[in-house]
Amino acid sequence: MARVAVQPLDIETGLVDDHAAAAKVLPGAAYQSSARSKAIEAFAVEGLPNRRLEEYRYFDLRQMLAKAGPLAVTPAASSVDTTDPAAGLFAEIDRHIAVFINGRFDAAGSSLHGLPDGVELLSHAEALNSEAAWVSEALESSIAPQDAVATLNAAYAIDGVVIRVSAGVKVDKPIEVQWRAVGDVSTHFHTRSLVVVEEGAQLTLLETRGDDEQAPVFSTGALRLVVGDDASLRHAALYADGKDVVRVGKKSVTLGKTSNYETLGLAVGAGKARTDEHVHFAGENTKASISGLSLLRDAAVMDNTLFVDHAVPNCESEETFRSVLDDASRGVFQGSILVRKDAQKIDSQMQARALLLSRKAEMDAKPMLEIYADDVICAHGSAIGEPDQNAIFYLMSRGIDENTARALLVAGFLDDVVDGFDDGEIAVALKTLLAERLGAPKDTAQEAPL
């Protein structure tokens, strides 16, 4: 079927027309110019994704940006808004910190002294300008499909974080990457990051994304994760997008044999955001735990789109997503598990659940299984409902007021997933934030899981 022609939006025309001038100041210009030109040409043909594409049925990027008009590339900034709710989330945890403002590395605001031997951390711009072979090899090894957002990101990527943990190195404390957006609401920026955890290495990676009240209106971020044989990566991310922000994150993960991958994303923002994660099992006897939480209000939107590719036998994956939606907010979960023909002995369990706190809130869930092997244990499920009034009444009968009872019930619904990811300082930080947002007693966040 021929593609239906549509009139380009002002923002689409501007992104294409302005690229030639912007490319002159983008990193790696000496040898990346051809790739960037091909990427913007591909975007010019496709345009912004819209609801006619099944993958973007619930996140019509074209409609969201229809009134944005032409956008300028976000300029560099040297300060962050201290009222950003994400800024101090992990303040009590001893960690290394890399700060990016409007997509660009802020060396002055970062704290990277004391990185152990065998750990490299540099900006994407530095990595491109140095023409490091391992960087290009890792980025090009991704088999995730390339849509219009990916090509736009490739064309405009201004910076990002690049981390390599050498074989056998166990990083003793987490590395946090803080993404901050400040300034003009009529601008855009795009980042591209890479994390490589080599054979037998271990890393805990934290991400916090937050915006001030005048944040850029549109951003994309591509994150490539490569987990080597016998390696372990734990990744926790907080998304606190600003009210006027539209953001799309693309995440491509490759897992080696007997590796372990755990990830948890928590969305508490006010804008419209999408995380598109592609997880490829490349080695046997590997385990992955992929979780996402959304606590939204007003007109916020969070789209969690996930594709898990079981390409080899004897692996396990667990996908757990929960949403709490108030006012006119909307949650989306599109999860797909593919078990290929020769991938026997797969155990994969997917679950998506949502609590609606308002009659105007909306949840769209589409879990899917595609199985071509016959010796597997796979299941998926979805449930959407309201808080249990009997449970609320029970708590009220014990002397707890109705608002606190409701907050405790909702906190328990979300905290259960946090406990499955971590039982230490990271869990306390995340549960404290959830308690604050819900109005639940903060001491519930300090309790150890049963």
Side-chain angles (χ1 to χ4, degrees), residues 60-127:
D60 191 334
L61 195 57
R62 197 168 195 272
Q63 183 185 57
M64 291 175 181
L65 295 170
K67 298 180 180 179
L71 302 179
V73 176
T74 307
S78 58
S79 63
V80 295
D81 188 339
T82 56
T83 62
D84 172 9
L89 176 64
F90 299 116
E92 300 302 317
I93 299 177
D94 185 19
R95 69 217 190 278
H96 307 285
I97 304 172
V99 177
F100 288 79
I101 303 176
N102 291 346
R104 295 171 171 85
F105 181 56
D106 177 22
S110 301
S111 177
L112 297 172
H113 56 277
L115 280 172
D117 293 339
V119 177
E120 294 179 68
L121 191 155
L122 59 162
S123 73
H124 183 67
E126 291 175 318

Side-chain angles (χ1 to χ4, degrees), residues 168-223:
V169 174
K170 296 175 174 57
V171 185
D172 57 349
K173 57 185 180 181
I175 296 177
E176 180 185 1
V177 182
Q178 296 182 359
W179 304 95
R180 301 288 171 261
V182 299
D184 195 338
V185 296
S186 62
T187 59
H188 67 106
F189 70 86
H190 310 267
T191 63
R192 199 174 192 192
S193 298
L194 169 67
V195 177
V196 177
V197 185
E198 295 184 344
E199 182 177 358
Q202 296 180 6
L203 173 67
T204 296
L205 176 68
L206 307 175
E207 281 190 280
T208 52
R209 296 181 180 273
D211 309 320
D212 72 358
E213 293 182 357
Q214 294 294 313
V217 69
F218 179 44
S219 69
T220 70
L223 173 59

Side-chain angles (χ1 to χ4, degrees), residues 131-363:
E131 301 186 27
W134 67 270
V135 174
S136 57
E137 289 173 3
L139 290 174
E140 293 170 2
S141 66
S142 173
I143 64 171
Q146 299 296 297
D147 61 14
V149 171
T151 57
L152 179 65
N153 179 274
Y156 268 103
I158 190 73
D159 208 348
V161 66
V162 172
I163 301 172
R164 178 166 68 165
V165 183
S166 298
V169 174
K170 296 175 174 57
V171 185
D172 57 349
K173 57 185 180 181
I175 296 177
E176 180 185 1
V177 182
Q178 296 182 359
W179 304 95
R180 301 288 171 261
V182 299
D184 195 338
V185 296
S186 62
T187 59
H188 67 106
F189 70 86
H190 310 267
T191 63
R192 199 174 192 192
S193 298
L194 169 67
V195 177
V196 177
V197 185
E198 295 184 344
E199 182 177 358
Q202 296 180 6
L203 173 67
T204 296
L205 176 68
L206 307 175
E207 281 190 280
T208 52
R209 296 181 180 273
D211 309 320
D212 72 358
E213 293 182 357
Q214 294 294 313
V217 69
F218 179 44
S219 69
T220 70
L223 173 59
R224 175 81 173 112
L225 303 177
V226 180
V227 185
D229 297 347
D230 302 304
S232 175
L233 174 62
R234 299 171 71 236
H235 176 219
L238 172 71
Y239 309 115
D241 301 285
K243 178 174 67 68
D244 297 317
V245 170
V246 176
R247 178 184 58 80
V248 181
K250 307 285 288 185
K251 190 176 176 185
S252 172
V253 187
T254 299
L255 305 176
K257 67 180 182 181
T258 61
S259 62
N260 186 67
Y261 171 60
E262 299 175 78
T263 183
L264 171 63
L266 171 58
V268 296
K272 297 175 175 62
R274 171 183 167 104
T275 296
D276 188 345
E277 182 166 6
H278 184 287
V279 181
H280 176 67
F281 284 74
E284 295 188 35
N285 300 304
T286 291
K287 296 182 179 181
S289 175
I290 305 163
S291 303
L293 298 176
S294 299
L295 178 58
L296 307 179
R297 57 174 67 120
D298 299 324
V301 177
M302 183 64 207
D303 178 342
N304 284 294
T305 294
L306 171 67
F307 180 80
V308 178
D309 182 5
H310 280 285
V312 295
N314 303 306
C315 293
E316 299 178 17
S317 69
E318 182 178 11
E319 299 81 19
T320 306
F321 288 78
R322 295 188 183 179
S323 301
V324 176
L325 309 172
D326 204 351
D327 303 320
S329 61
R330 182 159 61 92
V332 177
F333 173 73
Q334 299 183 99
S336 180
I337 298 172
L338 170 63
V339 181
R340 297 183 184 269
K341 181 179 179 180
D342 296 325
Q344 306 291 350
K345 304 292 184 181
I346 297 298
D347 185 345
S348 187
Q349 309 294 320
M350 177 184 289
Q351 181 189 81
R353 298 169 62 188
L355 285 178
L356 305 183
L357 306 185
S358 164
R359 294 293 182 180
K360 295 181 179 180
E362 176 185 340
M363 180 68 196

